[in-house]
Structure formats: structure tokens, C-alpha cells
């Protein structure tokens, strides 16, 4: 019975994560503008970077950053109406792989009303991840309920 409950809880967790990916996919619809950009740097603190707080060194030294885990986000630069913007990706990769991307060109999609809102993630990635997680959530929940009934 406990095993069944644990499986159902894992299914609920997968559902919650799927819902968050669905929300991100829907907000991605605001990114109608498109331009070319370039990977120019890496950041160990992408959330702060995108909020204009700078690097992890600019925050409280006790704040945990990703530098210790050697994972980083790539920082890309793009120009809209003569203004240069810099954003960090929302996903983290191995620090070495991130550094190798510096200098590469990328397609940037941005919000035409607020050009600082942008993404270099491919369209549909969030929807695909959400769909897979919904399937996993349903399967885990059904298996969990079967285990609870059997025991």
C-alpha cells in the first residue's frame, strides 16, 4: 500500500512539473519577433542575470550558485531597434559545453512589446516535455492505484 501511495505521489509530482512546462509553453506564444543573436558569455546565476542583478558575485556570498556544480547557462546578445539586449538561457548545461558555445550564432525570438523578454529555445520543446510528463503522470498514477487496490 505504501509503495502504491509513493507511486501516486510521483505521478502527482510529474503532473505539477508538466503543468509548469505547459505554462511556459503558453507564455512562449508572446515571442513573435525574431532576430539573429550570438552566444557571448556564460552565467552561473541565470535567474539573477535576467533580473538585472548581474553575476553571482553581485549577490550575497552565502547564496548558492551553480559554480560549485560546474553547470552554467549561456548568455546571448541580440539587437532590436538599435538596442542591444543580453539574456541568459533558462536551462543549465555543463560548464565546458557552455563555454564551447561562446561565439556561436543563434536565432532569438522576443516579445515585440518588451524586447528584453526573449528565448533561444526551439519552439515546441516545452510542449513536448509537458506532453511526455502528462503521460508519465497518468501511467504512474494508474500503476500506483492498481498497487494500492491489489495490496
Amino acid at each position: 500500500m505504501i509503495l502504491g501511495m509513493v507511486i501516486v505521489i510521483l505521478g502527482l509530482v510529474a503532473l505539477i512539473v508538466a503543468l509548469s512546462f505547459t505554462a511556459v509553453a503558453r507564455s512562449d506564444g508572446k515571442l513573435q519577433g525574431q532576430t539573429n543573436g550570438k552566444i557571448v558569455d556564460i552565467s552561473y546565476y541565470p535567474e539573477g542575470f535576467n533580473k538585472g542583478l548581474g553575476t553571482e558575485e553581485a549577490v550575497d556570498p552565502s547564496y548558492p550558485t551553480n559554480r560549485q556544480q560546474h553547470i552554467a547557462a549561456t548568455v546571448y546578445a541580440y539587437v532590436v531597434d538599435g538596442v542591444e539586449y543580453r539574456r541568459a538561457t533558462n536551462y543549465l548545461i555543463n560548464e565546458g559545453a557552455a563555454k564551447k558555445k561562446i561565439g556561436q550564432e543563434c536565432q532569438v525570438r522576443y516579445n515585440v512589446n518588451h524586447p528584453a523578454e526573449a528565448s533561444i529555445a526551439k519552439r515546441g520543446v516545452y510542449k513536448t516535455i509537458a506532453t511526455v510528463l502528462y503521460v508519465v503522470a497518468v501511467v504512474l498514477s494508474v500503476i500506483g492505484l492498481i498497487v494500492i487496490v491489489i495490496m
Side-chain angles (χ1 to χ4, degrees):
M1 178 142 142
I2 294 175
L3 176 63
M5 291 173 54
V6 169
I7 294 172
V8 169
I9 290 171
L10 289 174
L12 291 173
V13 169
L15 177 64
I16 292 168
V17 174
L19 289 170
S20 68
F21 273 94
T22 300
V24 170
R26 286 191 178 151
S27 70
D28 196 42
K30 294 187 280 185
L31 305 179
Q32 299 298 323
Q34 189 168 321
T35 187
N36 292 322
K38 190 176 224 177
I39 308 294
V40 294
D41 201 357
I42 65 171
S43 174
Y44 300 99
Y45 180 48
E47 305 88 17
F49 184 91
N50 289 337
K51 290 179 182 175
L53 301 176
T55 63
E56 65 276 8
E57 289 85 7
V59 299
D60 180 353
S62 66
Y63 183 85
T65 67
N66 300 304
R67 184 183 298 272
Q68 295 84 11
Q69 291 87 23
H70 301 286
I71 55 176
T74 54
V75 174
Y76 55 97
Y78 60 101
V79 177
V80 176
D81 296 329
V83 178
E84 182 182 79
Y85 298 92
R86 288 179 182 237
R87 300 275 302 163
T89 56
N90 292 328
Y91 54 89
L92 299 168
I93 58 176
N94 176 283
E95 176 183 34
K99 286 181 179 179
K100 287 181 184 176
K101 290 181 177 264
I102 294 175
Q104 290 182 1
E105 300 219 355
C106 56
Q107 283 294 121
V108 178
R109 290 178 299 108
Y110 64 92
N111 183 333
V112 293
N113 297 319
H114 304 283
E117 294 176 20
S119 176
I120 61 172
K122 304 276 189 238
R123 278 187 196 258
V125 170
Y126 298 117
K127 286 182 183 177
T128 303
I129 292 171
T131 302
V132 169
L133 286 170
Y134 283 124
V135 171
V136 169
V138 168
V139 169
L140 286 174
S141 297
V142 169
I143 291 172
L145 291 172
I146 290 171
V147 170
I148 289 172
V149 170
I150 291 175
M151 295 185 157

